[in-house]
Amino acid sequence: AFCHLFFSDLKYMNTWLFRQLWRVCVGTVAISGGAMGSVASELAKLSRHQPVGQFFAPPVVPHFVWFSWSTFFFGVVFWGLFSMKQPASDIFLTGVTQVIPTVYLVLVLYSRKNWKDFNVANGTRQIFLFGALANVPLLPGYDLFNFLNLPLGIINLILHTNLGLAWSSQGYSIYKFKQGVAKYEAPQFTPNPTFEPDLNDEASLNT
């Protein structure tokens, strides 16, 4: 939003400040794929604790794979090895790095009939699916909106509203999964009644 407001002319795109802001914006998109994959890995690991209700056991991708994923793509962005000199195009094309983590996440979500064993409502999974896939139409949608000659402000409003809904859905779903899993993992202890021996019973005293 800051760049849209203060860097509206092409001459600003070679300034030091714009480059740093570009690294932040595009770099966070490059990192996000690894974060999504890491969440999916935790869900896959969790699902293996309760094989009843599984359609199949999803593979558990190690976290170092996703850490390496994020580090590599952020490095590519940070060191300027990737840039089409069009910020919107940069964001979209960097977003393509989220395809594999997103597919893995959806695969894990639907490896089970439901997640009720982990205190997660089926509606939460549907919201998570929406959050994961809602950004997919943005790339072709951007071209369509340009073809229709919509004002740039309207295009930005549509795209960022979509992004806000998608990311909010992801955050809400992860929060609900976290709540449900916390209840599932909490140990359920039934306190034993205090044993009081009968002083008149020899067997009780020996126990």
Side-chain angles (χ1 to χ4, degrees):
F2 183 85
C3 290
H4 281 306
L5 185 61
F6 295 104
F7 294 89
S8 57
D9 197 295
L10 290 175
K11 67 181 180 181
Y12 295 117
M13 292 191 180
N14 288 321
T15 62
W16 178 88
L17 179 58
F18 178 82
R19 191 67 185 180
Q20 305 317 308
L21 293 171
W22 181 90
R23 282 172 169 165
V24 171
C25 292
V26 183
T28 50
V29 175
I31 291 172
S32 298
M36 294 175 67
S38 195
V39 169
S41 290
E42 282 299 310
L43 292 178
K45 189 188 304 181
L46 177 68
S47 184
R48 287 174 174 264
H49 290 306
Q50 184 59 270
V52 177
Q54 279 187 330
F55 293 123
F56 58 90
V60 179
V61 178
H63 284 293
F64 80 85
V65 171
W66 300 120
F67 177 79
S68 302
W69 184 280
S70 292
T71 302
F72 172 77
F73 285 112
F74 179 77
V76 169
V77 169
F78 184 85
W79 295 110
L81 302 177
F82 167 78
S83 177
M84 298 299 167
K85 304 185 185 301
Q86 292 289 338
S89 299
D90 294 344
I91 290 286
F92 280 128
L93 294 177
T94 306
V96 173
T97 63
Q98 299 179 10
V99 170
I100 291 177
T102 298
V103 171
Y104 177 52
L105 174 61
V106 173
L107 181 74
V108 172
L109 284 175
Y110 285 87
S111 66
R112 303 185 61 85
K113 183 178 180 181
N114 56 60
W115 291 81
K116 292 182 180 178
D117 290 332
F118 303 97
N119 306 299
V120 177
N122 199 46
T124 300
R125 179 171 65 172
Q126 308 304 329
I127 294 173
F128 210 161
L129 179 67
F130 168 79
L133 300 182
N135 291 333
V136 172
L138 293 187
L139 183 55
Y142 181 69
D143 286 333
L144 175 62
F145 297 147
N146 277 309
F147 178 78
L148 295 175
N149 291 320
L150 291 180
L152 181 60
I154 298 299
I155 295 176
N156 282 329
L157 174 64
I158 294 172
L159 298 184
H160 286 88
T161 298
N162 192 99
L163 286 171
L165 289 173
W167 290 338
S168 297
S169 298
Q170 291 179 23
Y172 171 81
S173 303
I174 291 173
Y175 173 71
K176 297 302 287 186
F177 264 90
K178 179 179 178 295
Q179 279 190 322
V181 171
K183 294 177 183 176
Y184 171 78
E185 292 182 338
Q188 303 294 328
F189 294 114
T190 303
N192 294 321
T194 304
F195 177 72
E196 296 182 357
D198 185 351
L199 297 179
N200 297 319
D201 185 356
E202 184 177 348
S204 175
L205 289 173
N206 291 333
T207 304

